[in-house]
Amino acid sequence: TTEFGWFEEEEEGYAEKYRGAVDSLKIENGVLRRYLTYFAALTRPDNIVLIRGDELEGIISSLVSEGKLIRLNGKTYPNSYLYRSDPSDVARSEKNTYICTPEREDAGPTNNWMNPADALARFRDLARGAYSGKTMYVVPYILGPEESPFAETGVEITDNPYVVANMMMITRSGKRALDRIGESTRFVLGVHVTGSLNPEERYIMHLPEDDMILSVNTAYGGNALLSKKCHALRIASVHAKRDGWMAEHMMAIEVVRPDGRAFGITGAFPSASGKTNLSMIMPPSDMEGWKAYLVSDDIAWMHSVNGSLYAINPEYGFFGVAPGTNERTNPNALDAIRHDTIFTNVALTDSGEPWWEGLGPRPPHLIDWQGRDCNGCEQAAHPNSRFTTPILNYRQLSAKYSDPRGLKVDAMLFGGRRSTLVPLVREARNWAQGVLFGAMLRAETTAAITGKVGVVRQDPMAMIAFCGYNMADYFSHWLRMGSMVKDRPRIYYVNWFRKDSKGEFIWPGFGENMRVIEWITGRVSGEITKGIETPIGILPEVDDIRAPGVSRERLEEILSVDRDGWLRELDEVEAFFSQFGDRFPVELRKEIERMREGLENW
Ligand code: GTP
Ligand code: SPV
Ligand code: MN
């Protein structure tokens, strides 16, 4: 992190007052001490608490006694709690999220942009005195296995104990992180101010050149848990481009077949589109001997090692979508969230248990996510309600999770919600076409982001909201990674979300997705050589997808190519790409032309 010279006179007076408090924390890192002094002088807390690692219990019990956390049924959900966020603050808000670079072009046309100096000025106005009467918490954290050379460190400053509790669950935090930071200046600083929660004055600002994140007037998820989307994706993506690796919005699993052969698979799907569920997949009962172990449910950092690509999970816990989770769709998640879990914005039953749409039969009486009596109300849990659970609670964790090098990646998936057009699965002919698959990712929007639900939007690599720099350069970086890695993973595009004319899902999804993975392992291992070569990639022969629950007719429908539909899709994709002008890579343009020509002659 670069040192900064923006102490203002006004804060300088307060700085004197806080210098002693900061010194008493005995932090050896001089840059961090200066930051803490400055931000304390700006926000003016009553006291400062440095998180060392054993504070979680105390923070939770004080939240409980203040009535901010509700203790759930101790028999069925031991050490678990319900939190209700402000109703105006229930999802990531992309319109308030900014990449702050000196040049607008470096943020690119798909990010909101602000000049770093303006971002700091705005933050100072909104944050001044905002911690008064409160505690300033300092949370040092590590992203990645502690022993990994690929791990990064960060420090989040916040006035919000709910944020601290979540950060302590989803990152490796406390003394071990501070020790790892040592005297290094290479840590990311996040400053979070709960503030008024006024959505009109909400800002989530990223300053990649300073390794700094400033977040104000929100306390929800990815807006406030700054290690997650802000550091591990937006800031890390800038590091990754600079240093030749990949910070991706991907789940990662190790799939082991009955013959003992293991495959590393990563997958990028937009928010609330199936990453966590796929990462926790339970193979269907007739696929005896198939196993899936989790490495990551949301973010993968991938590095080239001896010519292969390896994925680590920067996180230490889940912040997963609750609705839709049940004994059939995701038994492994249900098992993990049965203890030591914070639920946010779910409904509450009369027996003190959490409830959400899709969990099972609706109890006769519920309290909804806003704490109101729910008599016949339409929605009891918020559609973006979530669980925060330590990853060590998860029963099928891969040994690769703690491996400093991570999981070797054999296949990468892209996908998203598309009720029409996009086939169940297709394989890219080569890396460049695979990059085009990712760049062409378009999906129906979900409740994970504030705004309209169900509209198709372009979301390249599921990174539209998370790439910390110009997305055209990001595409070039993907292409470059293809030449850096010799043993390149194969790239696939999947779609679990095709619907029939009645609006029902055609593909059963969840555990059944293992049948698509079975085909992928056959392709990767070279056992399945036949496939249908089409301009949009290689599709499986219908007989090569073993899906007892889906009729042949319906399977054929989701494994076909709608030529005219794809030509229209290409028009829309190209209209999206046109905003990048000359910065858009030539190689990718060639791939588009090849696909278009192929379709025209198809
Ligand atoms: P974020 O955590 O927001 O990044 O989302 P995610 O990508 O992890 O999505 P998640 O796995 O939590 O799934 C979101 C919603 O999609 C849940 O309601 C799931 O039940 C549903 N879902 C996940 N996988 C499938 C599937 O294969 N088929 C269908 N029909 N729904 C699915
Ligand atoms: C997402 O929206 O992509 C999430 C939830 O995973 S949040 O952590 O709020 O970003
Ligand atoms: Mn998720």
Side-chain angles (χ1 to χ4, degrees):
T1 306
T2 54
E3 289 201 42
F4 53 101
W6 37 277
F7 272 77
E8 283 196 342
E9 299 262 308
E10 189 187 345
E11 265 80 60
E12 195 52 79
Y14 281 91
E16 274 319 306
K17 177 178 161 201
Y18 285 105
R19 203 154 278 137
V22 169
D23 283 347
S24 70
L25 300 174
K26 304 244 183 306
I27 293 170
E28 60 178 321
N29 193 301
V31 173
L32 180 55
R33 276 202 313 272
R34 279 188 58 189
Y35 276 142
L36 295 182
T37 308
Y38 176 74
F39 283 106
L42 177 68
T43 58
R44 299 164 201 173
D46 283 7
N47 61 317
I48 305 178
V49 168
L50 172 65
I51 295 299
R52 296 177 194 276
D54 55 5
E55 296 84 354
L56 185 57
E57 226 174 281
I59 285 171
I60 283 180
S61 32
S62 61
L63 282 167
V64 170
S65 53
E66 289 166 38
K68 291 190 177 139
L69 281 185
I70 297 168
R71 193 184 297 278
L72 296 172
N73 187 317
K75 285 212 184 73
T76 47
Y77 286 87
N79 194 30
S80 297
Y81 306 88
L82 167 62
Y83 177 80
R84 296 190 184 118
S85 78
D86 189 275
S88 71
D89 191 32
V90 293
R92 270 188 308 105
S93 28
E94 294 182 1
K95 77 176 189 5
N96 309 308
T97 301
Y98 291 82
I99 300 299
C100 309
T101 47
E103 301 295 327
R104 184 189 275 265
E105 286 68 40
D106 292 331
T110 60
N111 282 311
N112 297 318
W113 173 82
M114 214 189 294
N115 184 294
D118 293 343
L120 285 169
R122 179 145 311 177
F123 185 76
R124 283 206 299 268
D125 286 345
L126 295 168
R128 188 164 291 115
Y131 285 7
S132 61
K134 295 175 154 190
T135 295
M136 167 166 150
Y137 296 92
V138 180
V139 190
Y141 62 85
I142 305 174
L143 296 181
E146 235 172 306
E147 308 299 320
S148 176
F150 306 137
E152 291 199 357
T153 53
V155 177
E156 176 163 349
I157 301 172
T158 178
D159 56 344
N160 194 314
Y162 162 78
V163 168
V164 177
N166 276 272
M167 287 294 292
M168 292 186 76
M169 292 166 78
I170 67 168
T171 67
R172 297 155 174 92
S173 61
K175 183 176 181 308
R176 54 178 161 173
L178 203 58
D179 288 348
R180 177 154 176 150
I181 293 170
E183 311 240 30
S184 166
T185 54
R186 296 188 54 167
F187 60 89
V188 172
L189 181 77
V191 190
H192 168 248
V193 170
T194 305
S196 65
L197 304 181
N198 177 0
E200 302 306 315
E201 296 197 316
R202 184 171 293 164
Y203 292 93
I204 302 103
M205 301 178 288
H206 304 71
L207 287 70
E209 297 198 352
D210 296 286
D211 273 341
M212 193 181 290
I213 305 153
L214 304 170
S215 164
V216 56
N217 295 332
T218 173
Y220 194 84
N223 294 339
L225 313 178
L226 302 182
S227 62
K228 198 171 173 59
K229 307 294 186 179
C230 300
H231 177 167
L233 287 177
R234 296 193 193 97
I235 298 285
S237 68
V238 175
H239 297 168
K241 172 172 166 277
R242 181 191 64 199
D243 298 335
W245 53 282
M246 309 172 88
E248 298 298 329
H249 193 200
M250 285 182 164
M251 65 94 219
I253 49 175
E254 182 185 18
V255 171
V256 184
R257 299 196 307 196
D259 64 5
R261 192 160 163 191
F263 297 81
I265 299 177
T266 62
F269 305 83
S271 301
S273 299
K275 288 181 302 299
T276 298
N277 276 270
L278 186 60
S279 74
M280 298 182 175
I281 191 167
M282 171 90 95
S285 53
D286 64 298
M287 287 184 74
E288 237 171 90
W290 284 78
K291 294 260 165 13
Y293 301 99
L294 181 145
V295 172
S296 177
D297 85 310
D298 194 40
I299 298 172
W301 285 357
M302 294 177 286
H303 292 76
S304 169
V305 183
N306 304 329
S308 294
L309 200 61
Y310 285 80
I312 61 165
N313 178 2
E315 301 194 278
Y316 200 48
F318 305 117
F319 185 63
V321 175
T325 309
N326 64 47
E327 208 44 74
R328 180 188 70 85
T329 58
N330 197 343
N332 288 330
L334 273 196
D335 178 77
I337 64 184
R338 273 321 260 260
H339 54 102
D340 309 297
T341 295
I342 297 177
F343 294 89
T344 298
N345 293 341
V346 299
L348 183 66
T349 72
D350 290 346
S351 55
E353 293 185 357
W355 192 86
W356 50 81
E357 277 69 21
L359 175 62
R362 182 166 164 160
H365 184 252
L366 283 170
I367 306 289
D368 81 358
W369 64 277
Q370 294 187 65
R372 303 175 303 198
D373 226 39
C374 176
N375 282 322
C377 65
E378 210 166 280
Q379 187 85 38
H382 188 277
N384 190 40
S385 53
R386 301 234 166 204
F387 51 79
T388 311
T389 301
I391 204 165
L392 301 180
N393 271 12
Y394 186 73
R395 62 187 173 192
Q396 297 275 70
L397 196 59
S398 166
K400 302 288 182 203
Y401 172 73
S402 42
D403 185 325
R405 190 166 63 171
L407 171 75
K408 180 177 172 296
V409 183
D410 300 299
M412 287 177 166
L413 319 183
F414 294 112
R417 291 174 182 268
R418 285 301 290 275
S419 44
T420 60
L421 185 70
V422 179
L424 177 65
V425 59
R426 50 195 226 271
E427 182 186 272
R429 203 180 64 249
N430 56 24
W431 182 265
Q433 191 183 40
V435 175
L436 179 61
F437 278 15
M440 283 180 73
L441 201 163
R442 302 175 78 226
E444 291 145 23
T445 52
T446 66
I449 31 171
T450 302
K452 256 218 185 104
V453 167
V455 249
V456 173
R457 77 157 174 175
Q458 189 91 34
D459 190 354
M461 284 83 172
M463 285 286 280
I464 191 76
F466 307 114
C467 182
Y469 58 98
N470 191 310
M471 200 139 216
D473 299 348
Y474 172 72
F475 298 147
S476 301
H477 180 57
W478 262 85
L479 292 166
R480 197 160 46 231
M481 286 305 299
S483 39
M484 258 177 75
V485 180
K486 273 208 304 294
D487 177 18
R488 284 183 287 278
R490 287 212 205 178
I491 300 178
Y492 296 83
Y493 199 113
V494 299
N495 180 19
W496 320 135
F497 299 95
R498 280 286 285 271
K499 287 183 177 165
D500 60 18
S501 52
K502 291 193 209 108
E504 304 283 330
F505 287 114
I506 297 175
W507 180 252
F510 302 104
E512 297 288 315
N513 296 336
M514 205 66 186
R515 305 192 188 279
V516 172
I517 290 178
E518 179 177 17
W519 180 73
I520 290 171
T521 68
R523 291 290 299 175
V524 167
S525 63
E527 293 152 346
I528 300 177
T529 51
K530 277 188 308 168
I532 302 167
E533 305 230 4
T534 83
I536 60 161
I538 302 161
L539 271 72
E541 309 246 357
V542 177
D543 291 326
D544 284 337
I545 299 287
R546 204 161 53 87
V550 184
S551 73
R552 189 177 175 94
E553 198 192 352
R554 277 161 83 88
L555 200 54
E556 276 169 359
E557 185 185 341
I558 58 175
L559 288 174
S560 62
V561 180
D562 167 2
R563 173 185 174 274
D564 294 342
W566 276 102
L567 282 168
R568 279 195 300 275
E569 181 85 353
L570 270 189
D571 288 342
E572 293 182 24
V573 164
E574 282 190 273
F576 172 82
F577 289 158
S578 67
Q579 67 186 311
F580 298 110
D582 291 347
R583 225 150 154 157
F584 191 80
V586 176
E587 200 180 342
L588 220 46
R589 198 166 295 289
K590 282 197 195 132
E591 279 299 327
I592 301 170
E593 274 157 30
R594 183 196 292 259
M595 191 178 282
R596 182 180 288 284
E597 266 180 42
L599 284 164
E600 277 163 355
N601 302 320
W602 178 249

